Amino acid sequence: MSRRKKHGEAEDNSEIDLTPMLDVVFIMLIFFIVTASFVKESVIDTMIPPPNEQQNPPDEDNPSIVVTIRSNDDIWMEDRRIDVRAVRANIERMHAEHPKAAVVVRAHIKSSAKSYVAIADAAREAKVYNIALVPYDEKI
């Protein structure tokens, strides 16, 4: 049998059935919606200790290198705002003055983890491996 159209014969009505393809698309859509709703963003969970009424006296022999991260991710060292690229140089300078000093990162709870990681990496590049994270929640 040939499929040629003869004069006077009706043309074959051949269409593609899209129902199975639509079923697959809807199943994929449901899969992505369900999996996206269960994905949780990972965060660094920190617990803030209650305020201590009794302050420990500062250790004059071994001061800490304090880096403060504010809620808007501004970085402060020695009462001045510095750029993230200058953190390593400042830590190296302060570590040269006090070789046993630890780096204390005082981070606001609304600051990003990216800022803390950048400071910790800069401290490690400056050959300081004693790094502590101290979260705070006060208004500055």
Side-chain angles (χ1 to χ4, degrees), residues 116-130:
Y116 169 72
V117 170
I119 293 171
D121 288 344
R124 287 184 190 100
E125 289 173 1
K127 306 291 189 256
V128 180
Y129 300 103
N130 190 4

Side-chain angles (χ1 to χ4, degrees), residues 9-104:
E9 254 184 55
E11 182 178 323
D12 283 342
N13 193 4
S14 60
E15 292 183 13
I16 298 174
D17 187 17
L18 297 178
T19 306
M21 186 179 72
L22 289 174
D23 288 344
V24 170
V25 169
F26 282 126
I27 289 172
M28 288 174 56
L29 178 67
I30 291 170
F31 173 76
F32 288 126
I33 290 172
V34 169
T35 56
S37 65
F38 291 118
V39 173
K40 291 186 179 181
E41 187 174 328
S42 62
V43 295
I44 298 175
D45 194 20
T46 57
M47 294 182 59
I48 300 174
N52 188 359
E53 299 295 329
Q54 203 175 26
Q55 295 292 327
N56 295 335
D59 189 5
E60 299 297 328
D61 296 335
N62 196 11
S64 297
I65 301 170
V66 180
V67 182
T68 303
I69 306 173
R70 295 200 175 167
S71 61
N72 58 356
D73 290 335
D74 285 345
I75 300 171
W76 288 72
M77 287 181 77
E78 297 180 321
D79 296 327
R80 62 188 172 91
R81 184 177 181 267
I82 63 169
D83 190 38
V84 69
R85 296 171 292 202
V87 172
R88 177 183 174 185
N90 281 293
I91 290 175
E92 283 177 345
R93 178 183 52 80
M94 294 173 75
H95 186 65
E97 295 171 4
H98 305 284
K100 294 185 179 181
V103 174
V104 177

